[in-house]
Amino acid sequence: MRQITVLGSCGAFPEPGRACSGFLVDWDGYRLVLDLGYATLPRLLARCPDGGVDAVVITHEHPDHCIDLHGLFRMRFYGGPREPKVPLYCPPGVLARLSGLEPEVDLRAVFEVHPLPGTYRVGPFALTGVPLPHHVPNAGVRLQADGMTLAYTGDTGPDPLLAELGRDADLFIIEATDRDGEVSQPVRNLMTSAEAGRWAQLAGARRVLLTHFWPGNDRATSVAAARVEFRGDVLAAEEDLVVPLTIA
């Protein structure tokens, strides 16, 4: 089984029945999580009841991308016999932010921490973390295995590195926040769905999965705007959506 499951698709805070940013990658039984924002942990545990993931990657320290990592920590720290540490790949700010929730315990008791940006071998994947512009340090993530490439932006403003992050990706997961007033900001830290489509086209990606929708946005409108700029398939991230990871 080679697939990715959407655990959450909202930016900032979850809409009713939804969750914030999170994805579960399953590659021949190796389970890697990309981000764990608000309300993603129950969805993860529905698929991995023991919290038994093989690795976690967090793009940045904003809670809509990382807060449920602390829930996973508590489950593994307090929930039973101590298991081998879980490899965690993240910018340093993630641990600094979450440590403030429970300073008397160290997240490193559960997680084996590796800093992003950087390049690593993670199970079957070659992982590359790429710095992208945001309000705090953010690492876009590129995963490659057996000729397949999956890329994920985390949160980002428009930047030429997006074309390299998603170069020839079989699936490019791109934030498409479409927050009112974003395009008029003097410094860009988020994107529109049209910009997501444009950068995916420049990257030569084969499929796009839009995510990080601002609560209340019409997702069909976002997909339509991206399709104007991108000639391949455009999907909208929806909770529990399963996308096969195939080579085009």
Side-chain angles (χ1 to χ4, degrees), residues 18-107:
R18 295 190 183 273
C20 284
S21 297
F23 303 88
L24 173 62
V25 180
D26 191 323
W27 189 269
D28 296 340
Y30 188 92
R31 296 177 294 187
L32 180 148
V33 177
L34 291 169
D35 281 347
L36 277 171
Y38 296 116
T40 55
L41 183 58
R43 294 177 181 275
L44 174 65
L45 296 180
R47 293 158 182 82
C48 307
D50 58 353
V53 298
D54 296 294
V56 178
V57 180
I58 302 293
T59 57
H60 64 287
E61 66 190 81
H62 282 159
D64 57 330
H65 291 256
C66 77
I67 196 68
D68 274 17
L69 178 67
H70 196 271
L72 181 62
F73 162 77
R74 288 180 66 90
M75 178 182 182
R76 295 180 70 104
F77 187 80
Y78 295 114
R82 199 64 54 83
E83 301 179 45
K85 292 185 179 181
V86 180
L88 169 63
Y89 303 83
C90 63
V94 172
L95 258 65
R97 177 83 59 121
L98 294 180
S99 293
L101 294 174
E102 199 169 10
E104 63 272 20
V105 292
D106 188 345
L107 273 71

Side-chain angles (χ1 to χ4, degrees), residues 101-248:
L101 294 174
E102 199 169 10
E104 63 272 20
V105 292
D106 188 345
L107 273 71
R108 291 177 179 84
V110 167
F111 299 113
E112 179 184 284
V113 181
H114 307 274
L116 289 178
T119 57
Y120 300 96
R121 189 75 199 177
V122 184
F125 298 107
L127 182 154
T128 304
V130 177
L132 293 173
H134 193 45
H135 303 282
V136 296
N138 173 76
V141 177
R142 185 175 171 93
L143 297 172
Q144 295 174 284
D146 289 353
M148 186 283 308
T149 299
L150 167 67
Y152 171 46
T153 64
D155 288 355
T156 182
D159 190 276
L161 285 173
L162 286 166
E164 295 308 313
L165 176 70
R167 181 70 61 203
D168 299 325
D170 297 285
L171 181 65
F172 197 2
I173 307 173
I174 310 182
E175 73 104 326
T177 309
D178 280 325
R179 186 180 181 185
D180 287 344
E182 177 59 32
V183 295
S184 63
Q185 295 295 319
V187 177
R188 297 292 308 284
N189 291 303
L190 295 167
M191 289 206 299
T192 67
S193 48
E195 289 170 329
R198 191 174 308 134
W199 284 107
Q201 186 65 34
L202 288 170
R206 295 173 176 85
R207 291 180 296 167
V208 163
L209 181 63
L210 300 180
T211 190
H212 202 262
F213 299 103
W214 193 255
N217 280 5
D218 182 344
R219 298 183 178 203
T221 299
S222 297
V223 169
R227 283 177 174 160
V228 172
E229 303 289 341
F230 181 69
R231 291 193 288 271
D233 291 337
V234 179
L235 305 173
E238 300 280 350
E239 282 69 13
D240 303 318
L241 174 69
V242 176
V243 181
L245 294 175
T246 58
I247 302 171

